[in-house]
Amino acid sequence: DLYRKVFVFRKDPSDAYVVLRARLEQPLHNFTVCLRSYTDLSRPHSLFSYATRAQDNEILLFKPKPEEYRFYVGGKFVTFRVPEGRGDWEHVCASWESSSGIAEFWLNGKPRPRKGLQRGYTVGATAAILLGQEQDTFGGGFDLYNSFSGELSDVYLWGAALSPDKMRAAFLSLRLPPALLAWNSLSYEVKGDVVVKPRLRE
């Protein structure tokens, strides 16, 4: 149970990552991914990378620069502009719905303008899910200069697009619906220089 704990990625750049194991029985037509990050990186870095054998950027949360996030589904992406961080924790949630092709992006409990992405697409279920690196091949092919350095916490993946109330609940660490990946019952494996530590502050 990783309650009130964080993964600390100590090196910059880094070859370290964390493998997450989700129980995915079928392909995803909708999903939401949420996480909290704390970093002083200004270079591009990957936060959450979900690759299938057919598509290395099946789901990807990527931050190319301090005032921008990229959200990929099936190899295509939309960009969400955000205020440049003030050196604090950033909580992000990204959701996607196949039927409408609507991509939502929430930063610290507030939604950015919605965008259209990959309407009618289906996300494959046999996946390599990694924190801290961006996959260019299934489970590998890393570019160290896209690696994450800093602290990650509160990682979740749901097979549904969460309602606005639930998006706000995720930001506030309130009770959440059962998830495919849940921070409080995470099945994971650390590869390389990543340390689990208590959170320094709430």
Side-chain angles (χ1 to χ4, degrees), residues 113-166:
R114 285 174 276 200
K115 310 221 164 165
L117 181 63
Q118 290 285 54
R119 188 177 195 161
Y121 186 77
T122 301
V123 169
T126 308
I129 308 175
L130 305 188
L131 301 176
Q133 297 286 352
E134 193 243 318
Q135 303 174 74
D136 284 330
T137 58
F138 185 76
F142 309 141
D143 172 349
L144 297 191
Y145 291 95
N146 287 333
S147 65
F148 178 78
S149 165
E151 305 188 17
L152 284 179
S153 182
D154 294 346
V155 181
Y156 288 87
L157 173 67
W158 289 274
L162 291 194
S163 68
D165 284 354
K166 293 285 186 286

